[in-house]
Short mmCIF file of all heavy atoms in Angstrom, two decimals:
data_model
loop_
_atom_site.label_atom_id
_atom_site.label_comp_id
_atom_site.label_asym_id
_atom_site.label_seq_id
_atom_site.Cartn_x
_atom_site.Cartn_y
_atom_site.Cartn_z
N MET A 1 20.73 -17.34 19.33
CA MET A 1 21.62 -16.25 18.94
C MET A 1 22.35 -16.59 17.64
O MET A 1 22.83 -17.70 17.48
CB MET A 1 22.67 -15.99 20.04
CG MET A 1 22.19 -15.04 21.10
SD MET A 1 21.75 -13.45 20.37
CE MET A 1 20.99 -12.70 21.80
N GLU A 2 22.39 -15.66 16.76
CA GLU A 2 23.12 -15.86 15.51
C GLU A 2 24.52 -15.31 15.69
O GLU A 2 24.73 -14.12 15.83
CB GLU A 2 22.42 -15.12 14.36
CG GLU A 2 21.00 -15.55 14.15
CD GLU A 2 20.91 -17.01 13.73
OE1 GLU A 2 21.90 -17.55 13.21
OE2 GLU A 2 19.85 -17.60 13.94
N ASN A 3 25.48 -16.20 15.67
CA ASN A 3 26.87 -15.77 15.77
C ASN A 3 27.51 -15.77 14.39
O ASN A 3 27.26 -16.64 13.59
CB ASN A 3 27.67 -16.70 16.69
CG ASN A 3 27.24 -16.55 18.13
OD1 ASN A 3 27.06 -15.44 18.60
ND2 ASN A 3 27.05 -17.66 18.79
N THR A 4 28.33 -14.80 14.17
CA THR A 4 29.04 -14.74 12.91
C THR A 4 30.39 -14.10 13.15
O THR A 4 30.73 -13.75 14.27
CB THR A 4 28.23 -13.96 11.85
OG1 THR A 4 28.86 -14.10 10.59
CG2 THR A 4 28.12 -12.50 12.22
N GLN A 5 31.16 -14.02 12.12
CA GLN A 5 32.47 -13.41 12.25
C GLN A 5 32.61 -12.28 11.24
O GLN A 5 32.13 -12.37 10.13
CB GLN A 5 33.59 -14.43 11.98
CG GLN A 5 33.76 -15.44 13.08
CD GLN A 5 34.97 -16.34 12.82
OE1 GLN A 5 35.49 -16.38 11.73
NE2 GLN A 5 35.40 -17.05 13.84
N ILE A 6 33.28 -11.22 11.69
CA ILE A 6 33.66 -10.18 10.74
C ILE A 6 35.15 -9.95 10.93
O ILE A 6 35.70 -10.24 12.00
CB ILE A 6 32.88 -8.87 10.98
CG1 ILE A 6 33.06 -8.37 12.41
CG2 ILE A 6 31.41 -9.06 10.65
CD1 ILE A 6 32.44 -7.01 12.64
N ASN A 7 35.79 -9.46 9.91
CA ASN A 7 37.22 -9.19 10.03
C ASN A 7 37.44 -7.81 10.62
O ASN A 7 36.76 -6.85 10.26
CB ASN A 7 37.90 -9.27 8.66
CG ASN A 7 37.97 -10.69 8.16
OD1 ASN A 7 37.99 -11.63 8.94
ND2 ASN A 7 38.02 -10.86 6.85
N CYS A 8 38.39 -7.76 11.54
CA CYS A 8 38.77 -6.48 12.13
C CYS A 8 39.19 -5.52 11.02
O CYS A 8 39.97 -5.89 10.15
CB CYS A 8 39.92 -6.70 13.11
SG CYS A 8 40.60 -5.17 13.76
N PRO A 9 38.66 -4.30 11.05
CA PRO A 9 39.01 -3.33 10.00
C PRO A 9 40.46 -2.88 10.09
O PRO A 9 41.01 -2.34 9.13
CB PRO A 9 38.05 -2.17 10.26
CG PRO A 9 37.64 -2.31 11.67
CD PRO A 9 37.68 -3.79 11.98
N VAL A 10 41.09 -3.12 11.23
CA VAL A 10 42.47 -2.67 11.44
C VAL A 10 43.47 -3.77 11.11
O VAL A 10 44.40 -3.58 10.33
CB VAL A 10 42.67 -2.18 12.89
CG1 VAL A 10 44.12 -1.73 13.11
CG2 VAL A 10 41.70 -1.05 13.19
N CYS A 11 43.28 -4.96 11.68
CA CYS A 11 44.29 -6.02 11.54
C CYS A 11 43.74 -7.26 10.85
O CYS A 11 44.47 -8.24 10.69
CB CYS A 11 44.86 -6.37 12.92
SG CYS A 11 43.68 -7.20 14.00
N GLN A 12 42.50 -7.23 10.45
CA GLN A 12 41.88 -8.33 9.69
C GLN A 12 41.69 -9.62 10.51
O GLN A 12 41.40 -10.67 9.97
CB GLN A 12 42.69 -8.65 8.42
CG GLN A 12 42.94 -7.45 7.53
CD GLN A 12 41.65 -6.75 7.12
OE1 GLN A 12 40.70 -7.37 6.70
NE2 GLN A 12 41.64 -5.44 7.25
N THR A 13 41.88 -9.54 11.81
CA THR A 13 41.61 -10.70 12.65
C THR A 13 40.11 -10.97 12.70
O THR A 13 39.33 -10.04 12.88
CB THR A 13 42.12 -10.44 14.09
OG1 THR A 13 43.53 -10.26 14.06
CG2 THR A 13 41.79 -11.62 15.01
N PRO A 14 39.68 -12.21 12.51
CA PRO A 14 38.24 -12.51 12.62
C PRO A 14 37.73 -12.25 14.04
O PRO A 14 38.33 -12.71 15.01
CB PRO A 14 38.15 -14.00 12.26
CG PRO A 14 39.43 -14.33 11.57
CD PRO A 14 40.46 -13.41 12.17
N ILE A 15 36.66 -11.51 14.15
CA ILE A 15 36.06 -11.20 15.44
C ILE A 15 34.69 -11.87 15.50
O ILE A 15 33.86 -11.69 14.60
CB ILE A 15 35.88 -9.68 15.63
CG1 ILE A 15 37.21 -8.96 15.41
CG2 ILE A 15 35.33 -9.38 17.03
CD1 ILE A 15 37.06 -7.44 15.36
N ARG A 16 34.45 -12.66 16.53
CA ARG A 16 33.13 -13.29 16.68
C ARG A 16 32.15 -12.25 17.20
O ARG A 16 32.40 -11.59 18.20
CB ARG A 16 33.22 -14.45 17.67
CG ARG A 16 33.89 -15.68 17.07
CD ARG A 16 33.81 -16.84 18.04
NE ARG A 16 32.42 -17.27 18.24
CZ ARG A 16 31.80 -18.13 17.44
NH1 ARG A 16 32.42 -18.65 16.42
NH2 ARG A 16 30.56 -18.47 17.68
N ILE A 17 31.03 -12.13 16.53
CA ILE A 17 30.00 -11.18 16.95
C ILE A 17 28.65 -11.87 16.99
O ILE A 17 28.43 -12.87 16.33
CB ILE A 17 29.93 -9.96 16.00
CG1 ILE A 17 29.54 -10.41 14.58
CG2 ILE A 17 31.23 -9.20 16.01
CD1 ILE A 17 29.08 -9.29 13.70
N GLU A 18 27.76 -11.32 17.78
CA GLU A 18 26.37 -11.73 17.76
C GLU A 18 25.60 -10.69 16.97
O GLU A 18 25.60 -9.52 17.31
CB GLU A 18 25.82 -11.83 19.18
CG GLU A 18 26.38 -13.00 19.95
CD GLU A 18 25.92 -12.95 21.40
OE1 GLU A 18 25.13 -12.06 21.76
OE2 GLU A 18 26.37 -13.81 22.16
N VAL A 19 24.92 -11.14 15.93
CA VAL A 19 24.27 -10.22 15.01
C VAL A 19 23.23 -9.36 15.73
O VAL A 19 23.16 -8.16 15.55
CB VAL A 19 23.61 -10.98 13.85
CG1 VAL A 19 22.80 -10.03 12.96
CG2 VAL A 19 24.69 -11.67 13.01
N TYR A 20 22.43 -9.99 16.57
CA TYR A 20 21.37 -9.24 17.24
C TYR A 20 21.93 -8.22 18.22
O TYR A 20 21.39 -7.14 18.38
CB TYR A 20 20.40 -10.19 17.94
CG TYR A 20 19.53 -10.93 16.95
CD1 TYR A 20 19.70 -12.28 16.70
CD2 TYR A 20 18.54 -10.24 16.24
CE1 TYR A 20 18.92 -12.95 15.77
CE2 TYR A 20 17.75 -10.89 15.31
CZ TYR A 20 17.94 -12.26 15.08
OH TYR A 20 17.17 -12.89 14.15
N SER A 21 23.03 -8.58 18.88
CA SER A 21 23.69 -7.62 19.76
C SER A 21 24.22 -6.44 18.96
O SER A 21 24.09 -5.28 19.35
CB SER A 21 24.84 -8.29 20.52
OG SER A 21 24.34 -9.32 21.34
N LEU A 22 24.81 -6.77 17.81
CA LEU A 22 25.35 -5.72 16.96
C LEU A 22 24.24 -4.78 16.51
O LEU A 22 24.38 -3.56 16.53
CB LEU A 22 26.03 -6.36 15.73
CG LEU A 22 26.87 -5.43 14.87
CD1 LEU A 22 28.14 -5.03 15.61
CD2 LEU A 22 27.24 -6.10 13.57
N LEU A 23 23.10 -5.37 16.14
CA LEU A 23 21.96 -4.57 15.70
C LEU A 23 21.41 -3.72 16.84
O LEU A 23 20.80 -2.69 16.60
CB LEU A 23 20.86 -5.47 15.13
CG LEU A 23 21.14 -6.07 13.75
CD1 LEU A 23 20.06 -7.07 13.38
CD2 LEU A 23 21.22 -4.98 12.70
N SER A 24 21.59 -4.20 18.07
CA SER A 24 21.10 -3.44 19.22
C SER A 24 22.06 -2.33 19.62
O SER A 24 21.83 -1.61 20.57
CB SER A 24 20.90 -4.35 20.43
OG SER A 24 20.35 -5.56 20.05
N GLY A 25 23.18 -2.23 18.89
CA GLY A 25 24.12 -1.16 19.17
C GLY A 25 25.32 -1.57 20.00
O GLY A 25 26.15 -0.74 20.36
N VAL A 26 25.43 -2.88 20.30
CA VAL A 26 26.57 -3.36 21.07
C VAL A 26 27.82 -3.32 20.19
O VAL A 26 27.77 -3.64 19.01
CB VAL A 26 26.33 -4.81 21.56
CG1 VAL A 26 27.57 -5.37 22.25
CG2 VAL A 26 25.15 -4.83 22.51
N LYS A 27 28.93 -2.90 20.78
CA LYS A 27 30.19 -2.87 20.05
C LYS A 27 31.06 -4.03 20.51
O LYS A 27 31.04 -4.42 21.66
CB LYS A 27 30.91 -1.54 20.27
CG LYS A 27 30.21 -0.39 19.58
CD LYS A 27 30.99 0.90 19.78
CE LYS A 27 30.49 2.01 18.86
NZ LYS A 27 29.09 2.36 19.10
N PHE A 28 31.81 -4.58 19.57
CA PHE A 28 32.69 -5.70 19.88
C PHE A 28 34.14 -5.28 19.71
O PHE A 28 34.46 -4.46 18.86
CB PHE A 28 32.38 -6.88 18.95
CG PHE A 28 31.01 -7.46 19.20
CD1 PHE A 28 29.89 -6.92 18.59
CD2 PHE A 28 30.86 -8.53 20.07
CE1 PHE A 28 28.63 -7.45 18.83
CE2 PHE A 28 29.59 -9.05 20.31
CZ PHE A 28 28.49 -8.50 19.69
N SER A 29 35.01 -5.87 20.57
CA SER A 29 36.41 -5.50 20.52
C SER A 29 37.24 -6.57 19.83
O SER A 29 37.01 -7.77 20.03
CB SER A 29 36.95 -5.29 21.94
OG SER A 29 36.29 -4.21 22.54
N CYS A 30 38.20 -6.17 19.05
CA CYS A 30 39.12 -7.10 18.41
C CYS A 30 40.03 -7.71 19.48
O CYS A 30 40.61 -6.99 20.29
CB CYS A 30 39.95 -6.35 17.37
SG CYS A 30 41.27 -7.35 16.67
N PRO A 31 40.14 -9.05 19.52
CA PRO A 31 40.98 -9.69 20.53
C PRO A 31 42.46 -9.45 20.29
O PRO A 31 43.29 -9.64 21.18
CB PRO A 31 40.65 -11.18 20.38
CG PRO A 31 40.15 -11.33 18.98
CD PRO A 31 39.47 -10.02 18.64
N ASN A 32 42.80 -9.03 19.10
CA ASN A 32 44.21 -8.85 18.74
C ASN A 32 44.69 -7.42 18.99
O ASN A 32 45.72 -7.21 19.62
CB ASN A 32 44.41 -9.24 17.28
CG ASN A 32 45.88 -9.25 16.90
OD1 ASN A 32 46.72 -9.78 17.62
ND2 ASN A 32 46.20 -8.66 15.77
N CYS A 33 43.93 -6.45 18.50
CA CYS A 33 44.41 -5.06 18.57
C CYS A 33 43.47 -4.16 19.37
O CYS A 33 43.71 -2.97 19.50
CB CYS A 33 44.60 -4.49 17.17
SG CYS A 33 43.07 -4.16 16.30
N SER A 34 42.37 -4.74 19.90
CA SER A 34 41.43 -4.00 20.75
C SER A 34 40.68 -2.90 19.99
O SER A 34 40.11 -2.01 20.61
CB SER A 34 42.13 -3.40 21.97
OG SER A 34 42.62 -4.44 22.78
N ALA A 35 40.70 -2.95 18.69
CA ALA A 35 39.88 -2.02 17.93
C ALA A 35 38.41 -2.33 18.22
O ALA A 35 38.06 -3.48 18.46
CB ALA A 35 40.15 -2.14 16.44
N THR A 36 37.58 -1.29 18.22
CA THR A 36 36.17 -1.49 18.48
C THR A 36 35.39 -1.55 17.18
O THR A 36 35.57 -0.72 16.30
CB THR A 36 35.63 -0.35 19.36
OG1 THR A 36 36.44 -0.24 20.52
CG2 THR A 36 34.20 -0.62 19.77
N VAL A 37 34.53 -2.56 17.09
CA VAL A 37 33.72 -2.72 15.89
C VAL A 37 32.26 -2.56 16.26
O VAL A 37 31.75 -3.24 17.14
CB VAL A 37 33.94 -4.12 15.27
CG1 VAL A 37 33.06 -4.31 14.03
CG2 VAL A 37 35.40 -4.31 14.92
N GLY A 38 31.60 -1.65 15.58
CA GLY A 38 30.18 -1.45 15.80
C GLY A 38 29.55 -1.02 14.49
O GLY A 38 30.24 -0.86 13.48
N LEU A 39 28.26 -0.87 14.51
CA LEU A 39 27.57 -0.48 13.29
C LEU A 39 27.59 1.03 13.13
O LEU A 39 27.26 1.76 14.06
CB LEU A 39 26.12 -0.94 13.33
CG LEU A 39 25.86 -2.42 13.07
CD1 LEU A 39 24.37 -2.64 13.01
CD2 LEU A 39 26.52 -2.88 11.80
N CYS A 40 27.96 1.47 11.93
CA CYS A 40 27.76 2.87 11.62
C CYS A 40 26.44 2.97 10.85
O CYS A 40 25.87 1.95 10.47
CB CYS A 40 28.91 3.46 10.81
SG CYS A 40 29.19 2.62 9.26
N GLN A 41 25.98 4.16 10.64
CA GLN A 41 24.66 4.34 10.03
C GLN A 41 24.55 3.67 8.68
O GLN A 41 23.55 3.04 8.37
CB GLN A 41 24.38 5.85 9.90
CG GLN A 41 22.90 6.17 9.85
CD GLN A 41 22.22 5.90 11.20
OE1 GLN A 41 22.86 5.95 12.24
NE2 GLN A 41 20.94 5.59 11.17
N SER A 42 25.61 3.74 7.88
CA SER A 42 25.54 3.20 6.52
C SER A 42 25.49 1.68 6.51
O SER A 42 24.80 1.08 5.70
CB SER A 42 26.72 3.70 5.70
OG SER A 42 27.92 3.30 6.29
N SER A 43 26.22 1.04 7.40
CA SER A 43 26.25 -0.42 7.39
C SER A 43 25.02 -1.00 8.08
O SER A 43 24.68 -2.15 7.86
CB SER A 43 27.52 -0.95 8.05
OG SER A 43 27.61 -0.51 9.38
N TYR A 44 24.36 -0.20 8.90
CA TYR A 44 23.20 -0.71 9.62
C TYR A 44 22.14 -1.24 8.66
O TYR A 44 21.64 -2.34 8.82
CB TYR A 44 22.60 0.40 10.50
CG TYR A 44 21.47 -0.09 11.37
CD1 TYR A 44 21.73 -0.57 12.64
CD2 TYR A 44 20.16 -0.09 10.90
CE1 TYR A 44 20.70 -1.04 13.44
CE2 TYR A 44 19.13 -0.56 11.68
CZ TYR A 44 19.40 -1.04 12.94
OH TYR A 44 18.37 -1.51 13.72
N SER A 45 21.82 -0.45 7.63
CA SER A 45 20.78 -0.86 6.69
C SER A 45 21.20 -2.12 5.96
O SER A 45 20.37 -2.97 5.64
CB SER A 45 20.48 0.27 5.70
OG SER A 45 21.64 0.62 4.98
N LYS A 46 22.48 -2.26 5.67
CA LYS A 46 22.98 -3.44 4.98
C LYS A 46 22.76 -4.68 5.83
O LYS A 46 22.27 -5.70 5.36
CB LYS A 46 24.48 -3.29 4.68
CG LYS A 46 24.80 -3.14 3.21
CD LYS A 46 26.29 -3.17 2.99
CE LYS A 46 26.86 -1.78 2.81
NZ LYS A 46 28.31 -1.78 2.62
N VAL A 47 23.13 -4.60 7.10
CA VAL A 47 22.98 -5.74 8.00
C VAL A 47 21.51 -6.04 8.20
O VAL A 47 21.10 -7.19 8.20
CB VAL A 47 23.66 -5.46 9.36
CG1 VAL A 47 23.40 -6.61 10.32
CG2 VAL A 47 25.16 -5.28 9.16
N GLU A 48 20.71 -5.00 8.34
CA GLU A 48 19.29 -5.18 8.55
C GLU A 48 18.67 -5.89 7.35
O GLU A 48 17.87 -6.80 7.50
CB GLU A 48 18.64 -3.82 8.76
CG GLU A 48 17.24 -3.93 9.33
CD GLU A 48 16.66 -2.57 9.64
OE1 GLU A 48 16.89 -1.64 8.84
OE2 GLU A 48 15.99 -2.44 10.67
N THR A 49 19.07 -5.50 6.14
CA THR A 49 18.56 -6.16 4.94
C THR A 49 18.97 -7.62 4.92
O THR A 49 18.17 -8.50 4.63
CB THR A 49 19.12 -5.45 3.68
OG1 THR A 49 18.74 -4.09 3.73
CG2 THR A 49 18.57 -6.07 2.41
N ALA A 50 20.22 -7.88 5.26
CA ALA A 50 20.71 -9.25 5.27
C ALA A 50 19.93 -10.08 6.30
O ALA A 50 19.56 -11.22 6.03
CB ALA A 50 22.20 -9.27 5.60
N MET A 51 19.67 -9.49 7.46
CA MET A 51 18.95 -10.23 8.50
C MET A 51 17.50 -10.46 8.09
O MET A 51 16.93 -11.51 8.38
CB MET A 51 19.00 -9.46 9.83
CG MET A 51 20.35 -9.51 10.50
SD MET A 51 20.99 -11.20 10.69
CE MET A 51 19.77 -11.89 11.80
N THR A 52 16.91 -9.50 7.41
CA THR A 52 15.53 -9.67 6.95
C THR A 52 15.46 -10.82 5.96
O THR A 52 14.57 -11.67 6.04
CB THR A 52 15.03 -8.37 6.29
OG1 THR A 52 15.15 -7.31 7.22
CG2 THR A 52 13.58 -8.51 5.88
N LYS A 53 16.41 -10.88 5.05
CA LYS A 53 16.44 -11.97 4.08
C LYS A 53 16.64 -13.30 4.80
O LYS A 53 16.05 -14.31 4.44
CB LYS A 53 17.56 -11.74 3.06
CG LYS A 53 17.18 -10.71 2.03
CD LYS A 53 18.29 -10.54 1.02
CE LYS A 53 17.89 -9.46 0.00
NZ LYS A 53 19.04 -8.97 -0.75
N PHE A 54 17.51 -13.27 5.80
CA PHE A 54 17.80 -14.48 6.55
C PHE A 54 16.53 -14.98 7.24
O PHE A 54 16.22 -16.16 7.23
CB PHE A 54 18.88 -14.18 7.59
CG PHE A 54 19.28 -15.38 8.41
CD1 PHE A 54 19.97 -16.43 7.84
CD2 PHE A 54 18.95 -15.44 9.75
CE1 PHE A 54 20.33 -17.53 8.60
CE2 PHE A 54 19.31 -16.53 10.53
CZ PHE A 54 20.00 -17.58 9.95
N GLU A 55 15.77 -14.06 7.84
CA GLU A 55 14.52 -14.43 8.51
C GLU A 55 13.52 -14.99 7.50
O GLU A 55 12.81 -15.95 7.77
CB GLU A 55 13.93 -13.22 9.23
CG GLU A 55 14.76 -12.73 10.40
CD GLU A 55 14.84 -13.75 11.52
OE1 GLU A 55 13.92 -14.57 11.67
OE2 GLU A 55 15.84 -13.75 12.25
N GLU A 56 13.46 -14.38 6.32
CA GLU A 56 12.55 -14.86 5.28
C GLU A 56 12.91 -16.29 4.88
O GLU A 56 12.05 -17.14 4.69
CB GLU A 56 12.62 -13.95 4.05
CG GLU A 56 11.89 -12.64 4.26
CD GLU A 56 12.14 -11.68 3.11
OE1 GLU A 56 12.87 -12.03 2.17
OE2 GLU A 56 11.61 -10.56 3.17
N LEU A 57 14.21 -16.54 4.75
CA LEU A 57 14.67 -17.88 4.39
C LEU A 57 14.27 -18.89 5.46
O LEU A 57 13.86 -20.01 5.16
CB LEU A 57 16.19 -17.90 4.21
CG LEU A 57 16.71 -17.31 2.90
CD1 LEU A 57 18.24 -17.29 2.91
CD2 LEU A 57 16.24 -18.13 1.71
N LYS A 58 14.39 -18.48 6.72
CA LYS A 58 14.04 -19.39 7.81
C LYS A 58 12.56 -19.72 7.78
O LYS A 58 12.15 -20.86 7.99
CB LYS A 58 14.40 -18.76 9.18
CG LYS A 58 15.85 -18.94 9.54
CD LYS A 58 16.08 -18.89 11.04
CE LYS A 58 15.70 -17.56 11.64
NZ LYS A 58 16.22 -17.40 13.00
N VAL A 59 11.72 -18.71 7.48
CA VAL A 59 10.28 -18.93 7.39
C VAL A 59 9.97 -19.89 6.26
O VAL A 59 9.21 -20.83 6.41
CB VAL A 59 9.55 -17.58 7.17
CG1 VAL A 59 8.08 -17.83 6.84
CG2 VAL A 59 9.67 -16.71 8.41
N LYS A 60 10.62 -19.67 5.10
CA LYS A 60 10.40 -20.54 3.96
C LYS A 60 10.83 -21.97 4.28
O LYS A 60 10.16 -22.93 3.95
CB LYS A 60 11.17 -20.02 2.74
CG LYS A 60 10.48 -18.87 2.06
CD LYS A 60 11.33 -18.34 0.91
CE LYS A 60 10.71 -17.05 0.36
NZ LYS A 60 11.67 -16.32 -0.46
N ALA A 61 11.98 -22.08 4.95
CA ALA A 61 12.49 -23.41 5.28
C ALA A 61 11.53 -24.12 6.24
O ALA A 61 11.32 -25.32 6.16
CB ALA A 61 13.88 -23.28 5.90
N GLY A 62 10.93 -23.32 7.14
CA GLY A 62 10.01 -23.91 8.10
C GLY A 62 8.74 -24.43 7.47
O GLY A 62 8.15 -25.39 7.94
N ARG A 63 8.33 -23.76 6.38
CA ARG A 63 7.10 -24.16 5.71
C ARG A 63 7.31 -25.34 4.76
O ARG A 63 6.38 -26.05 4.46
CB ARG A 63 6.54 -22.98 4.90
CG ARG A 63 5.86 -21.95 5.79
CD ARG A 63 5.42 -20.75 4.94
NE ARG A 63 4.84 -19.71 5.77
CZ ARG A 63 4.65 -18.46 5.36
NH1 ARG A 63 5.01 -18.11 4.15
NH2 ARG A 63 4.10 -17.57 6.16
N ALA A 64 8.54 -25.47 4.28
CA ALA A 64 8.82 -26.50 3.27
C ALA A 64 8.66 -27.90 3.85
O ALA A 64 8.84 -28.11 5.03
CB ALA A 64 10.24 -26.33 2.72
ZN1 LIG B 101 42.25 -5.92 15.16
#
């Protein structure tokens, strides 16, 4: 599982998220203010692009 952090859009508290869960549509709650963080349509493509690049890097690293 790839874990990462994003800042809460409301209070800027770092929220630990699992990228694959997020991509699957899972929403995460801010531990501080209980705001819900999930992917909207516009950010989905951004995360997907980032993950694709990340996978490509892993493949390259594996071959090196
Ligand atoms: Zn918050």
Side-chain angles (χ1 to χ4, degrees):
M1 273 301 171
E2 302 296 337
N3 291 315
T4 189
Q5 287 186 345
I6 57 174
N7 289 333
C8 173
V10 178
C11 69
Q12 306 304 313
T13 298
I15 306 170
R16 285 186 66 85
I17 62 164
E18 289 174 4
V19 174
Y20 288 108
S21 297
L22 191 70
L23 286 173
S24 319
V26 175
K27 290 182 167 62
F28 293 85
S29 296
C30 173
N32 187 46
C33 72
S34 296
T36 306
V37 179
L39 284 186
C40 59
Q41 204 68 26
S42 60
S43 59
Y44 185 91
S45 59
K46 249 187 260 179
V47 175
E48 194 175 39
T49 302
M51 286 308 295
T52 303
K53 282 182 182 164
F54 181 69
E55 293 295 332
E56 284 172 0
L57 282 176
K58 277 205 298 194
V59 171
K60 281 177 188 164
R63 283 176 183 164

